Amino acid sequence: MIYLGWYDDDAKKKVITKIDEAIERYERKYKATPNICLVSEKELVEHPRIKVRAARHLRPSYFYVGFDAEVAIPPAVGVHEATALGSWSGLRQHTAPPIKHLYILIVE
């Protein structure tokens, strides 16, 4: 899995807004839609577009957005996008464009 690291310590913004901004940046950079966001345990929220998972090693204000083939499609994506890919299994064939900077994050 490759994650885009996002940092936003603006106390006035809601966590969901910060995640939305991280999603937008991921989509612009990789021309793909992420399906998971790792956050600190303090910032765990429900998000309509993406699976949000707490990671104990993350500090507040850090968000890691990426694509995990093992994560189910969020309800907001629905059948329409899955059908456009040909099948649900087609989602496992996600590929991102070449990467200029590689950050490795090991998730256990």
Side-chain angles (χ1 to χ4, degrees), residues 70-97:
E70 302 300 320
V71 173
I73 300 171
V77 173
V79 177
H80 177 70
E81 287 187 32
T83 305
L85 291 171
S87 70
W88 290 99
S89 62
L91 291 175
R92 294 183 182 271
Q93 299 170 1
H94 172 81
T95 56

PDB file of all heavy atoms in Angstrom, residues 70-97:
ATOM      1  N   GLU A  70      -7.894  -4.722   0.321  1.00  0.00           N
ATOM      2  CA  GLU A  70      -8.651  -5.534   1.273  1.00  0.00           C
ATOM      3  C   GLU A  70      -9.831  -4.787   1.893  1.00  0.00           C
ATOM      4  O   GLU A  70     -10.665  -5.391   2.551  1.00  0.00           O
ATOM      5  CB  GLU A  70      -7.722  -6.028   2.388  1.00  0.00           C
ATOM      6  CG  GLU A  70      -6.549  -6.845   1.891  1.00  0.00           C
ATOM      7  CD  GLU A  70      -6.978  -8.104   1.151  1.00  0.00           C
ATOM      8  OE1 GLU A  70      -7.935  -8.758   1.596  1.00  0.00           O
ATOM      9  OE2 GLU A  70      -6.356  -8.419   0.129  1.00  0.00           O
ATOM     10  N   VAL A  71      -9.904  -3.493   1.707  1.00  0.00           N
ATOM     11  CA  VAL A  71     -10.987  -2.688   2.282  1.00  0.00           C
ATOM     12  C   VAL A  71     -12.210  -2.761   1.379  1.00  0.00           C
ATOM     13  O   VAL A  71     -12.106  -2.624   0.161  1.00  0.00           O
ATOM     14  CB  VAL A  71     -10.544  -1.216   2.455  1.00  0.00           C
ATOM     15  CG1 VAL A  71     -11.708  -0.342   2.897  1.00  0.00           C
ATOM     16  CG2 VAL A  71      -9.411  -1.134   3.446  1.00  0.00           C
ATOM     17  N   ALA A  72     -13.367  -2.972   1.983  1.00  0.00           N
ATOM     18  CA  ALA A  72     -14.614  -3.016   1.217  1.00  0.00           C
ATOM     19  C   ALA A  72     -14.926  -1.641   0.649  1.00  0.00           C
ATOM     20  O   ALA A  72     -14.490  -0.618   1.167  1.00  0.00           O
ATOM     21  CB  ALA A  72     -15.756  -3.474   2.123  1.00  0.00           C
ATOM     22  N   ILE A  73     -15.695  -1.609  -0.411  1.00  0.00           N
ATOM     23  CA  ILE A  73     -16.102  -0.355  -1.036  1.00  0.00           C
ATOM     24  C   ILE A  73     -17.048   0.376  -0.088  1.00  0.00           C
ATOM     25  O   ILE A  73     -18.022  -0.206   0.373  1.00  0.00           O
ATOM     26  CB  ILE A  73     -16.825  -0.617  -2.371  1.00  0.00           C
ATOM     27  CG1 ILE A  73     -15.897  -1.357  -3.324  1.00  0.00           C
ATOM     28  CG2 ILE A  73     -17.307   0.682  -2.989  1.00  0.00           C
ATOM     29  CD1 ILE A  73     -16.589  -1.841  -4.560  1.00  0.00           C
ATOM     30  N   PRO A  74     -16.788   1.660   0.197  1.00  0.00           N
ATOM     31  CA  PRO A  74     -17.711   2.409   1.049  1.00  0.00           C
ATOM     32  C   PRO A  74     -19.083   2.516   0.387  1.00  0.00           C
ATOM     33  O   PRO A  74     -19.176   2.560  -0.836  1.00  0.00           O
ATOM     34  CB  PRO A  74     -17.071   3.791   1.161  1.00  0.00           C
ATOM     35  CG  PRO A  74     -15.692   3.654   0.642  1.00  0.00           C
ATOM     36  CD  PRO A  74     -15.658   2.442  -0.227  1.00  0.00           C
ATOM     37  N   PRO A  75     -20.160   2.559   1.195  1.00  0.00           N
ATOM     38  CA  PRO A  75     -21.507   2.654   0.630  1.00  0.00           C
ATOM     39  C   PRO A  75     -21.684   3.842  -0.300  1.00  0.00           C
ATOM     40  O   PRO A  75     -22.446   3.778  -1.234  1.00  0.00           O
ATOM     41  CB  PRO A  75     -22.405   2.798   1.860  1.00  0.00           C
ATOM     42  CG  PRO A  75     -21.595   2.305   2.999  1.00  0.00           C
ATOM     43  CD  PRO A  75     -20.153   2.514   2.633  1.00  0.00           C
ATOM     44  N   ALA A  76     -20.975   4.940  -0.079  1.00  0.00           N
ATOM     45  CA  ALA A  76     -21.125   6.125  -0.915  1.00  0.00           C
ATOM     46  C   ALA A  76     -20.668   5.861  -2.348  1.00  0.00           C
ATOM     47  O   ALA A  76     -21.119   6.497  -3.278  1.00  0.00           O
ATOM     48  CB  ALA A  76     -20.335   7.289  -0.322  1.00  0.00           C
ATOM     49  N   VAL A  77     -19.751   4.923  -2.546  1.00  0.00           N
ATOM     50  CA  VAL A  77     -19.285   4.603  -3.892  1.00  0.00           C
ATOM     51  C   VAL A  77     -20.368   3.834  -4.623  1.00  0.00           C
ATOM     52  O   VAL A  77     -20.688   4.115  -5.761  1.00  0.00           O
ATOM     53  CB  VAL A  77     -17.969   3.780  -3.838  1.00  0.00           C
ATOM     54  CG1 VAL A  77     -17.593   3.301  -5.223  1.00  0.00           C
ATOM     55  CG2 VAL A  77     -16.866   4.617  -3.239  1.00  0.00           C
ATOM     56  N   GLY A  78     -20.952   2.848  -3.969  1.00  0.00           N
ATOM     57  CA  GLY A  78     -22.091   2.122  -4.502  1.00  0.00           C
ATOM     58  C   GLY A  78     -21.789   1.224  -5.681  1.00  0.00           C
ATOM     59  O   GLY A  78     -20.659   1.029  -6.084  1.00  0.00           O
ATOM     60  N   VAL A  79     -22.849   0.677  -6.246  1.00  0.00           N
ATOM     61  CA  VAL A  79     -22.739  -0.307  -7.312  1.00  0.00           C
ATOM     62  C   VAL A  79     -22.349   0.330  -8.634  1.00  0.00           C
ATOM     63  O   VAL A  79     -21.677  -0.286  -9.444  1.00  0.00           O
ATOM     64  CB  VAL A  79     -24.086  -1.064  -7.450  1.00  0.00           C
ATOM     65  CG1 VAL A  79     -24.041  -2.032  -8.596  1.00  0.00           C
ATOM     66  CG2 VAL A  79     -24.425  -1.762  -6.150  1.00  0.00           C
ATOM     67  N   HIS A  80     -22.723   1.578  -8.855  1.00  0.00           N
ATOM     68  CA  HIS A  80     -22.476   2.219 -10.145  1.00  0.00           C
ATOM     69  C   HIS A  80     -20.995   2.187 -10.526  1.00  0.00           C
ATOM     70  O   HIS A  80     -20.638   1.763 -11.610  1.00  0.00           O
ATOM     71  CB  HIS A  80     -22.984   3.653 -10.124  1.00  0.00           C
ATOM     72  CG  HIS A  80     -22.699   4.406 -11.389  1.00  0.00           C
ATOM     73  ND1 HIS A  80     -23.336   4.117 -12.569  1.00  0.00           N
ATOM     74  CD2 HIS A  80     -21.819   5.392 -11.660  1.00  0.00           C
ATOM     75  CE1 HIS A  80     -22.867   4.915 -13.509  1.00  0.00           C
ATOM     76  NE2 HIS A  80     -21.943   5.697 -12.974  1.00  0.00           N
ATOM     77  N   GLU A  81     -20.108   2.639  -9.621  1.00  0.00           N
ATOM     78  CA  GLU A  81     -18.682   2.653  -9.931  1.00  0.00           C
ATOM     79  C   GLU A  81     -18.122   1.243 -10.026  1.00  0.00           C
ATOM     80  O   GLU A  81     -17.256   0.975 -10.845  1.00  0.00           O
ATOM     81  CB  GLU A  81     -17.918   3.459  -8.892  1.00  0.00           C
ATOM     82  CG  GLU A  81     -18.138   4.947  -9.039  1.00  0.00           C
ATOM     83  CD  GLU A  81     -17.254   5.747  -8.115  1.00  0.00           C
ATOM     84  OE1 GLU A  81     -16.136   5.315  -7.828  1.00  0.00           O
ATOM     85  OE2 GLU A  81     -17.704   6.808  -7.675  1.00  0.00           O
ATOM     86  N   ALA A  82     -18.592   0.333  -9.181  1.00  0.00           N
ATOM     87  CA  ALA A  82     -18.103  -1.043  -9.236  1.00  0.00           C
ATOM     88  C   ALA A  82     -18.503  -1.690 -10.558  1.00  0.00           C
ATOM     89  O   ALA A  82     -17.723  -2.410 -11.171  1.00  0.00           O
ATOM     90  CB  ALA A  82     -18.662  -1.844  -8.068  1.00  0.00           C
ATOM     91  N   THR A  83     -19.709  -1.421 -11.033  1.00  0.00           N
ATOM     92  CA  THR A  83     -20.162  -1.970 -12.303  1.00  0.00           C
ATOM     93  C   THR A  83     -19.343  -1.395 -13.461  1.00  0.00           C
ATOM     94  O   THR A  83     -19.016  -2.093 -14.402  1.00  0.00           O
ATOM     95  CB  THR A  83     -21.661  -1.653 -12.519  1.00  0.00           C
ATOM     96  OG1 THR A  83     -22.382  -2.131 -11.393  1.00  0.00           O
ATOM     97  CG2 THR A  83     -22.185  -2.292 -13.770  1.00  0.00           C
ATOM     98  N   ALA A  84     -18.987  -0.127 -13.368  1.00  0.00           N
ATOM     99  CA  ALA A  84     -18.182   0.492 -14.421  1.00  0.00           C
ATOM    100  C   ALA A  84     -16.829  -0.195 -14.563  1.00  0.00           C
ATOM    101  O   ALA A  84     -16.248  -0.235 -15.632  1.00  0.00           O
ATOM    102  CB  ALA A  84     -17.980   1.975 -14.124  1.00  0.00           C
ATOM    103  N   LEU A  85     -16.327  -0.776 -13.482  1.00  0.00           N
ATOM    104  CA  LEU A  85     -15.055  -1.492 -13.538  1.00  0.00           C
ATOM    105  C   LEU A  85     -15.227  -2.912 -14.070  1.00  0.00           C
ATOM    106  O   LEU A  85     -14.256  -3.590 -14.335  1.00  0.00           O
ATOM    107  CB  LEU A  85     -14.424  -1.556 -12.143  1.00  0.00           C
ATOM    108  CG  LEU A  85     -13.933  -0.221 -11.604  1.00  0.00           C
ATOM    109  CD1 LEU A  85     -13.534  -0.372 -10.145  1.00  0.00           C
ATOM    110  CD2 LEU A  85     -12.738   0.271 -12.404  1.00  0.00           C
ATOM    111  N   GLY A  86     -16.446  -3.364 -14.198  1.00  0.00           N
ATOM    112  CA  GLY A  86     -16.693  -4.701 -14.727  1.00  0.00           C
ATOM    113  C   GLY A  86     -17.088  -5.697 -13.664  1.00  0.00           C
ATOM    114  O   GLY A  86     -17.874  -6.590 -13.912  1.00  0.00           O
ATOM    115  N   SER A  87     -16.556  -5.542 -12.474  1.00  0.00           N
ATOM    116  CA  SER A  87     -16.923  -6.430 -11.373  1.00  0.00           C
ATOM    117  C   SER A  87     -16.326  -5.875 -10.086  1.00  0.00           C
ATOM    118  O   SER A  87     -15.474  -5.007 -10.103  1.00  0.00           O
ATOM    119  CB  SER A  87     -16.391  -7.844 -11.613  1.00  0.00           C
ATOM    120  OG  SER A  87     -14.991  -7.855 -11.496  1.00  0.00           O
ATOM    121  N   TRP A  88     -16.758  -6.431  -8.965  1.00  0.00           N
ATOM    122  CA  TRP A  88     -16.205  -6.017  -7.683  1.00  0.00           C
ATOM    123  C   TRP A  88     -14.732  -6.381  -7.614  1.00  0.00           C
ATOM    124  O   TRP A  88     -13.933  -5.662  -7.072  1.00  0.00           O
ATOM    125  CB  TRP A  88     -16.955  -6.685  -6.531  1.00  0.00           C
ATOM    126  CG  TRP A  88     -18.338  -6.161  -6.363  1.00  0.00           C
ATOM    127  CD1 TRP A  88     -19.484  -6.734  -6.818  1.00  0.00           C
ATOM    128  CD2 TRP A  88     -18.736  -4.953  -5.738  1.00  0.00           C
ATOM    129  NE1 TRP A  88     -20.563  -5.955  -6.510  1.00  0.00           N
ATOM    130  CE2 TRP A  88     -20.131  -4.861  -5.833  1.00  0.00           C
ATOM    131  CE3 TRP A  88     -18.043  -3.940  -5.089  1.00  0.00           C
ATOM    132  CZ2 TRP A  88     -20.843  -3.800  -5.304  1.00  0.00           C
ATOM    133  CZ3 TRP A  88     -18.769  -2.893  -4.559  1.00  0.00           C
ATOM    134  CH2 TRP A  88     -20.151  -2.822  -4.678  1.00  0.00           C
ATOM    135  N   SER A  89     -14.351  -7.512  -8.178  1.00  0.00           N
ATOM    136  CA  SER A  89     -12.955  -7.940  -8.111  1.00  0.00           C
ATOM    137  C   SER A  89     -12.055  -7.011  -8.920  1.00  0.00           C
ATOM    138  O   SER A  89     -10.854  -6.969  -8.701  1.00  0.00           O
ATOM    139  CB  SER A  89     -12.807  -9.372  -8.608  1.00  0.00           C
ATOM    140  OG  SER A  89     -13.190  -9.454  -9.969  1.00  0.00           O
ATOM    141  N   GLY A  90     -12.621  -6.262  -9.842  1.00  0.00           N
ATOM    142  CA  GLY A  90     -11.832  -5.332 -10.631  1.00  0.00           C
ATOM    143  C   GLY A  90     -11.192  -4.240  -9.779  1.00  0.00           C
ATOM    144  O   GLY A  90     -10.209  -3.636 -10.166  1.00  0.00           O
ATOM    145  N   LEU A  91     -11.752  -3.984  -8.594  1.00  0.00           N
ATOM    146  CA  LEU A  91     -11.190  -2.970  -7.724  1.00  0.00           C
ATOM    147  C   LEU A  91      -9.825  -3.367  -7.195  1.00  0.00           C
ATOM    148  O   LEU A  91      -9.042  -2.533  -6.815  1.00  0.00           O
ATOM    149  CB  LEU A  91     -12.140  -2.702  -6.554  1.00  0.00           C
ATOM    150  CG  LEU A  91     -13.431  -2.008  -6.953  1.00  0.00           C
ATOM    151  CD1 LEU A  91     -14.345  -1.897  -5.754  1.00  0.00           C
ATOM    152  CD2 LEU A  91     -13.148  -0.634  -7.514  1.00  0.00           C
ATOM    153  N   ARG A  92      -9.512  -4.626  -7.185  1.00  0.00           N
ATOM    154  CA  ARG A  92      -8.218  -5.089  -6.692  1.00  0.00           C
ATOM    155  C   ARG A  92      -7.099  -4.768  -7.685  1.00  0.00           C
ATOM    156  O   ARG A  92      -5.943  -4.920  -7.374  1.00  0.00           O
ATOM    157  CB  ARG A  92      -8.254  -6.576  -6.403  1.00  0.00           C
ATOM    158  CG  ARG A  92      -9.190  -6.911  -5.268  1.00  0.00           C
ATOM    159  CD  ARG A  92      -9.136  -8.389  -4.963  1.00  0.00           C
ATOM    160  NE  ARG A  92     -10.068  -8.711  -3.923  1.00  0.00           N
ATOM    161  CZ  ARG A  92      -9.778  -8.666  -2.622  1.00  0.00           C
ATOM    162  NH1 ARG A  92      -8.585  -8.322  -2.230  1.00  0.00           N
ATOM    163  NH2 ARG A  92     -10.680  -8.982  -1.723  1.00  0.00           N
ATOM    164  N   GLN A  93      -7.425  -4.326  -8.873  1.00  0.00           N
ATOM    165  CA  GLN A  93      -6.429  -4.060  -9.894  1.00  0.00           C
ATOM    166  C   GLN A  93      -6.036  -2.585  -9.920  1.00  0.00           C
ATOM    167  O   GLN A  93      -5.628  -2.068 -10.941  1.00  0.00           O
ATOM    168  CB  GLN A  93      -6.957  -4.494 -11.260  1.00  0.00           C
ATOM    169  CG  GLN A  93      -7.270  -5.967 -11.305  1.00  0.00           C
ATOM    170  CD  GLN A  93      -8.020  -6.346 -12.564  1.00  0.00           C
ATOM    171  OE1 GLN A  93      -8.292  -5.510 -13.396  1.00  0.00           O
ATOM    172  NE2 GLN A  93      -8.357  -7.611 -12.683  1.00  0.00           N
ATOM    173  N   HIS A  94      -6.150  -1.917  -8.798  1.00  0.00           N
ATOM    174  CA  HIS A  94      -5.809  -0.501  -8.691  1.00  0.00           C
ATOM    175  C   HIS A  94      -4.321  -0.298  -8.947  1.00  0.00           C
ATOM    176  O   HIS A  94      -3.483  -0.983  -8.395  1.00  0.00           O
ATOM    177  CB  HIS A  94      -6.167  -0.002  -7.290  1.00  0.00           C
ATOM    178  CG  HIS A  94      -5.682   1.378  -7.014  1.00  0.00           C
ATOM    179  ND1 HIS A  94      -6.356   2.486  -7.455  1.00  0.00           N
ATOM    180  CD2 HIS A  94      -4.596   1.827  -6.363  1.00  0.00           C
ATOM    181  CE1 HIS A  94      -5.703   3.560  -7.074  1.00  0.00           C
ATOM    182  NE2 HIS A  94      -4.633   3.182  -6.396  1.00  0.00           N
ATOM    183  N   THR A  95      -4.007   0.630  -9.812  1.00  0.00           N
ATOM    184  CA  THR A  95      -2.607   0.990 -10.029  1.00  0.00           C
ATOM    185  C   THR A  95      -2.491   2.499  -9.986  1.00  0.00           C
ATOM    186  O   THR A  95      -3.379   3.213 -10.436  1.00  0.00           O
ATOM    187  CB  THR A  95      -2.081   0.478 -11.387  1.00  0.00           C
ATOM    188  OG1 THR A  95      -2.924   0.986 -12.423  1.00  0.00           O
ATOM    189  CG2 THR A  95      -2.069  -1.038 -11.439  1.00  0.00           C
ATOM    190  N   ALA A  96      -1.407   2.976  -9.454  1.00  0.00           N
ATOM    191  CA  ALA A  96      -1.145   4.408  -9.390  1.00  0.00           C
ATOM    192  C   ALA A  96      -0.052   4.745 -10.395  1.00  0.00           C
ATOM    193  O   ALA A  96       0.722   3.879 -10.781  1.00  0.00           O
ATOM    194  CB  ALA A  96      -0.701   4.789  -7.979  1.00  0.00           C
ATOM    195  N   PRO A  97       0.018   5.990 -10.837  1.00  0.00           N
ATOM    196  CA  PRO A  97       1.076   6.390 -11.763  1.00  0.00           C
ATOM    197  C   PRO A  97       2.445   6.308 -11.082  1.00  0.00           C
ATOM    198  O   PRO A  97       2.523   6.154  -9.871  1.00  0.00           O
ATOM    199  CB  PRO A  97       0.718   7.827 -12.113  1.00  0.00           C
ATOM    200  CG  PRO A  97      -0.210   8.271 -11.064  1.00  0.00           C
ATOM    201  CD  PRO A  97      -0.886   7.065 -10.514  1.00  0.00           C
TER     202      PRO A  97
END
